[in-house]
Amino acid sequence: HVPARLRELLRELPLRAARGLPLVPPGLRPLQVTAPLGAMDWDLHWRWEIFRRSCDPLDVRKWKRDSSAALFGLVGRPGARVLDSTCGLGDHTINLADVGFDVEGCDASAFAVEQSARALREAGLEVPLFVSRWEDLGKRAARYDVVFNDVLHWIYDEDELRAAAAGLRDALVPGGALCFFFADGRAPEPGAGKKILEWDWEQLKDA
Protein backbone atom coordinates (compact mmCIF):
# COMPACT_ATOMS: atom_id res chain seq x y z
CA HIS A 1 0.00 0.00 0.00
CA VAL A 2 1.36 3.44 -0.98
CA PRO A 3 0.09 6.45 1.01
CA ALA A 4 -2.03 8.79 -1.11
CA ARG A 5 0.17 11.81 -0.27
CA LEU A 6 3.31 9.98 -1.41
CA ARG A 7 1.63 8.98 -4.67
CA GLU A 8 0.59 12.61 -5.16
CA LEU A 9 4.15 13.86 -4.53
CA LEU A 10 5.58 11.40 -7.05
CA ARG A 11 3.14 12.53 -9.70
CA GLU A 12 4.12 16.14 -9.03
CA LEU A 13 7.85 15.54 -9.62
CA PRO A 14 7.93 16.09 -13.44
CA LEU A 15 5.82 19.26 -13.13
CA ARG A 16 7.98 20.66 -10.32
CA ALA A 17 11.13 19.89 -12.31
CA ALA A 18 9.74 21.57 -15.45
CA ARG A 19 8.94 24.70 -13.46
CA GLY A 20 12.34 24.77 -11.78
CA LEU A 21 10.80 24.23 -8.36
CA PRO A 22 12.47 22.20 -5.57
CA LEU A 23 11.62 18.54 -6.08
CA VAL A 24 10.87 18.22 -2.36
CA PRO A 25 8.20 20.74 -1.24
CA PRO A 26 9.11 23.07 1.65
CA GLY A 27 8.50 21.51 5.02
CA LEU A 28 9.25 17.96 3.92
CA ARG A 29 12.61 16.37 4.70
CA PRO A 30 13.87 13.89 2.09
CA LEU A 31 14.88 10.49 3.37
CA GLN A 32 18.58 9.73 3.20
CA VAL A 33 19.67 6.14 2.72
CA THR A 34 22.78 5.48 4.77
CA ALA A 35 22.73 1.67 4.93
CA PRO A 36 25.56 -0.14 3.13
CA LEU A 37 24.64 -0.97 -0.44
CA GLY A 38 25.03 -4.67 0.27
CA ALA A 39 22.40 -4.44 3.01
CA MET A 40 19.71 -3.07 0.69
CA ASP A 41 16.66 -5.13 -0.22
CA TRP A 42 17.11 -5.01 -3.99
CA ASP A 43 13.88 -6.85 -4.79
CA LEU A 44 12.01 -4.15 -2.86
CA HIS A 45 14.06 -1.43 -4.58
CA TRP A 46 13.06 -2.64 -8.06
CA ARG A 47 9.41 -3.11 -7.10
CA TRP A 48 9.48 0.51 -5.94
CA GLU A 49 11.18 1.58 -9.19
CA ILE A 50 8.41 0.01 -11.25
CA PHE A 51 5.87 2.00 -9.25
CA ARG A 52 7.94 5.20 -9.51
CA ARG A 53 8.15 4.86 -13.27
CA SER A 54 4.37 4.50 -13.46
CA CYS A 55 4.20 8.05 -12.05
CA ASP A 56 6.93 9.51 -14.27
CA PRO A 57 6.55 10.25 -18.02
CA LEU A 58 10.32 9.89 -18.63
CA ASP A 59 11.14 7.13 -21.15
CA VAL A 60 14.03 5.64 -19.15
CA ARG A 61 15.21 3.25 -21.86
CA LYS A 62 15.32 6.03 -24.46
CA TRP A 63 17.08 8.32 -21.98
CA LYS A 64 19.77 5.68 -21.41
CA ARG A 65 20.50 5.02 -25.09
CA ASP A 66 23.34 7.54 -25.26
CA SER A 67 25.45 5.45 -22.88
CA SER A 68 25.18 2.37 -25.10
CA ALA A 69 26.05 4.36 -28.22
CA ALA A 70 28.99 6.00 -26.43
CA LEU A 71 30.29 2.63 -25.25
CA PHE A 72 30.06 1.26 -28.78
CA GLY A 73 32.07 4.24 -29.96
CA LEU A 74 34.76 3.53 -27.37
CA VAL A 75 34.99 -0.21 -27.99
CA GLY A 76 34.73 0.25 -31.71
CA ARG A 77 33.72 -3.26 -32.76
CA PRO A 78 30.45 -5.17 -32.93
CA GLY A 79 30.27 -8.55 -31.24
CA ALA A 80 32.41 -7.57 -28.25
CA ARG A 81 31.31 -9.54 -25.20
CA VAL A 82 29.76 -7.18 -22.67
CA LEU A 83 28.35 -7.84 -19.21
CA ASP A 84 25.70 -5.41 -18.06
CA SER A 85 26.46 -5.81 -14.36
CA THR A 86 23.53 -3.57 -13.42
CA CYS A 87 20.78 -4.96 -15.62
CA GLY A 88 17.98 -3.81 -13.31
CA LEU A 89 14.79 -3.71 -15.38
CA GLY A 90 16.65 -4.37 -18.62
CA ASP A 91 17.00 -0.87 -20.07
CA HIS A 92 20.76 -0.86 -20.62
CA THR A 93 20.78 -4.57 -21.47
CA ILE A 94 18.36 -4.02 -24.33
CA ASN A 95 20.18 -0.91 -25.55
CA LEU A 96 23.56 -2.65 -25.49
CA ALA A 97 22.17 -5.57 -27.50
CA ASP A 98 20.54 -3.18 -29.97
CA VAL A 99 23.85 -1.49 -30.85
CA GLY A 100 25.51 -4.83 -31.63
CA PHE A 101 27.20 -6.13 -28.50
CA ASP A 102 27.17 -9.78 -27.42
CA VAL A 103 25.51 -9.06 -24.08
CA GLU A 104 24.82 -10.85 -20.83
CA GLY A 105 23.14 -9.22 -17.86
CA CYS A 106 23.18 -9.73 -14.12
CA ASP A 107 21.73 -8.16 -11.02
CA ALA A 108 21.76 -8.87 -7.29
CA SER A 109 17.95 -8.96 -7.40
CA ALA A 110 16.21 -12.10 -8.66
CA PHE A 111 13.08 -10.00 -9.15
CA ALA A 112 14.97 -7.55 -11.38
CA VAL A 113 16.37 -10.40 -13.47
CA GLU A 114 12.83 -11.72 -13.96
CA GLN A 115 11.68 -8.27 -15.08
CA SER A 116 14.67 -7.93 -17.43
CA ALA A 117 13.87 -11.30 -18.97
CA ARG A 118 10.30 -10.17 -19.61
CA ALA A 119 11.46 -6.88 -21.15
CA LEU A 120 13.92 -8.70 -23.39
CA ARG A 121 11.25 -11.11 -24.61
CA GLU A 122 8.98 -8.17 -25.41
CA ALA A 123 11.86 -6.59 -27.36
CA GLY A 124 12.41 -9.83 -29.29
CA LEU A 125 15.90 -10.33 -27.88
CA GLU A 126 17.59 -13.41 -26.42
CA VAL A 127 20.13 -12.37 -23.79
CA PRO A 128 21.47 -14.63 -21.02
CA LEU A 129 20.74 -13.31 -17.53
CA PHE A 130 21.83 -14.44 -14.08
CA VAL A 131 21.66 -13.35 -10.44
CA SER A 132 24.95 -12.27 -8.88
CA ARG A 133 26.48 -9.72 -6.57
CA TRP A 134 29.47 -7.89 -8.04
CA GLU A 135 31.99 -9.32 -5.58
CA ASP A 136 30.99 -12.85 -6.68
CA LEU A 137 31.46 -12.39 -10.43
CA GLY A 138 35.00 -13.77 -10.38
CA LYS A 139 33.66 -17.13 -9.16
CA ARG A 140 32.03 -17.71 -12.54
CA ALA A 141 33.93 -19.08 -15.52
CA ALA A 142 32.63 -16.46 -17.95
CA ARG A 143 34.90 -13.54 -18.82
CA TYR A 144 34.02 -10.40 -20.75
CA ASP A 145 35.69 -7.79 -22.97
CA VAL A 146 33.77 -5.05 -21.17
CA VAL A 147 31.88 -4.89 -17.89
CA PHE A 148 29.31 -2.09 -17.87
CA ASN A 149 28.17 -0.50 -14.60
CA ASP A 150 26.15 2.62 -13.88
CA VAL A 151 25.55 2.51 -10.11
CA LEU A 152 29.00 1.93 -8.63
CA HIS A 153 28.76 5.41 -7.11
CA TRP A 154 26.00 4.16 -4.79
CA ILE A 155 28.63 2.44 -2.66
CA TYR A 156 29.81 4.66 0.21
CA ASP A 157 31.74 2.07 2.23
CA GLU A 158 35.38 1.76 1.15
CA ASP A 159 35.71 -1.96 1.91
CA GLU A 160 32.50 -2.73 0.06
CA LEU A 161 33.64 -0.63 -2.89
CA ARG A 162 36.98 -2.47 -3.05
CA ALA A 163 35.25 -5.87 -2.96
CA ALA A 164 32.83 -4.84 -5.70
CA ALA A 165 35.61 -3.42 -7.89
CA ALA A 166 37.67 -6.60 -7.44
CA GLY A 167 34.72 -8.75 -8.51
CA LEU A 168 34.09 -6.60 -11.58
CA ARG A 169 37.79 -6.76 -12.46
CA ASP A 170 37.86 -10.54 -12.12
CA ALA A 171 35.01 -10.85 -14.64
CA LEU A 172 37.18 -9.29 -17.37
CA VAL A 173 39.42 -10.96 -19.93
CA PRO A 174 43.07 -9.82 -19.82
CA GLY A 175 43.10 -6.31 -21.21
CA GLY A 176 39.34 -5.95 -20.72
CA ALA A 177 37.74 -2.73 -19.53
CA LEU A 178 35.33 -1.67 -16.82
CA CYS A 179 33.06 1.06 -18.16
CA PHE A 180 31.40 3.13 -15.45
CA PHE A 181 28.77 5.45 -16.84
CA PHE A 182 26.75 7.94 -14.82
CA ALA A 183 23.97 10.14 -16.12
CA ASP A 184 21.23 12.20 -14.56
CA GLY A 185 18.29 13.42 -16.61
CA ARG A 186 17.85 16.39 -14.27
CA ALA A 187 21.28 17.79 -15.23
CA PRO A 188 22.13 16.92 -18.85
CA GLU A 189 24.82 19.56 -19.42
CA PRO A 190 28.45 18.38 -19.97
CA GLY A 191 30.31 17.70 -16.73
CA ALA A 192 27.14 17.54 -14.64
CA GLY A 193 27.62 13.86 -13.82
CA LYS A 194 31.00 14.50 -12.18
CA LYS A 195 29.57 17.34 -10.09
CA ILE A 196 26.62 15.22 -8.97
CA LEU A 197 28.93 12.36 -8.00
CA GLU A 198 31.13 14.66 -5.95
CA TRP A 199 28.08 16.17 -4.25
CA ASP A 200 26.66 12.68 -3.64
CA TRP A 201 29.77 11.41 -1.88
CA GLU A 202 30.19 14.68 0.06
CA GLN A 203 26.68 14.38 1.52
CA LEU A 204 27.36 10.85 2.77
CA LYS A 205 30.84 11.54 4.13
CA ASP A 206 29.68 12.00 7.70
CA ALA A 207 26.69 9.63 7.53
Side-chain angles (χ1 to χ4, degrees), residues 155-177:
I155 301 179
Y156 304 110
D157 179 81
E158 184 173 345
D159 290 338
E160 190 176 347
L161 182 59
R162 288 180 182 277
L168 295 168
R169 175 203 61 205
D170 292 343
L172 292 166
V173 299

Side-chain angles (χ1 to χ4, degrees), residues 100-124:
F101 289 121
D102 177 11
V103 186
E104 291 188 27
C106 75
D107 201 281
S109 164
F111 175 78
V113 169
E114 290 174 4
Q115 298 305 305
S116 286
R118 176 184 299 177
L120 285 158
R121 285 195 300 270
E122 292 174 352

Side-chain angles (χ1 to χ4, degrees), residues 72-159:
F72 188 81
L74 288 171
V75 175
R77 60 185 174 92
R81 197 170 189 206
V82 175
L83 173 66
D84 179 5
S85 65
T86 51
C87 74
L89 301 180
D91 302 304
H92 278 308
T93 315
I94 291 171
N95 289 340
L96 290 165
D98 280 343
V99 297
F101 289 121
D102 177 11
V103 186
E104 291 188 27
C106 75
D107 201 281
S109 164
F111 175 78
V113 169
E114 290 174 4
Q115 298 305 305
S116 286
R118 176 184 299 177
L120 285 158
R121 285 195 300 270
E122 292 174 352
L125 297 168
E126 293 185 12
V127 173
L129 301 172
F130 59 95
V131 178
S132 178
R133 294 171 58 84
W134 299 330
E135 58 266 33
D136 296 328
L137 287 172
K139 299 175 183 177
R140 304 179 72 253
R143 295 293 180 265
Y144 305 90
D145 300 304
V146 178
V147 171
F148 179 91
N149 186 292
D150 69 344
V151 294
L152 200 57
H153 62 293
W154 286 7
I155 301 179
Y156 304 110
D157 179 81
E158 184 173 345
D159 290 338

Side-chain angles (χ1 to χ4, degrees), residues 61 120 128 190 199:
R61 190 176 305 164
L120 285 158
W199 181 88

Side-chain angles (χ1 to χ4, degrees), residues 44-62:
L44 181 61
H45 168 83
W46 288 115
R47 290 179 190 278
W48 169 258
E49 177 64 10
I50 288 173
F51 166 74
R52 188 198 65 77
R53 290 188 186 190
S54 73
C55 305
D56 188 341
L58 177 68
D59 184 339
V60 177
R61 190 176 305 164
K62 182 179 180 181

Side-chain angles (χ1 to χ4, degrees), residues 30-51:
L31 294 176
Q32 187 177 55
V33 177
T34 58
L37 196 65
M40 287 183 64
D41 182 336
W42 285 106
D43 287 351
L44 181 61
H45 168 83
W46 288 115
R47 290 179 190 278
W48 169 258
E49 177 64 10
I50 288 173
F51 166 74

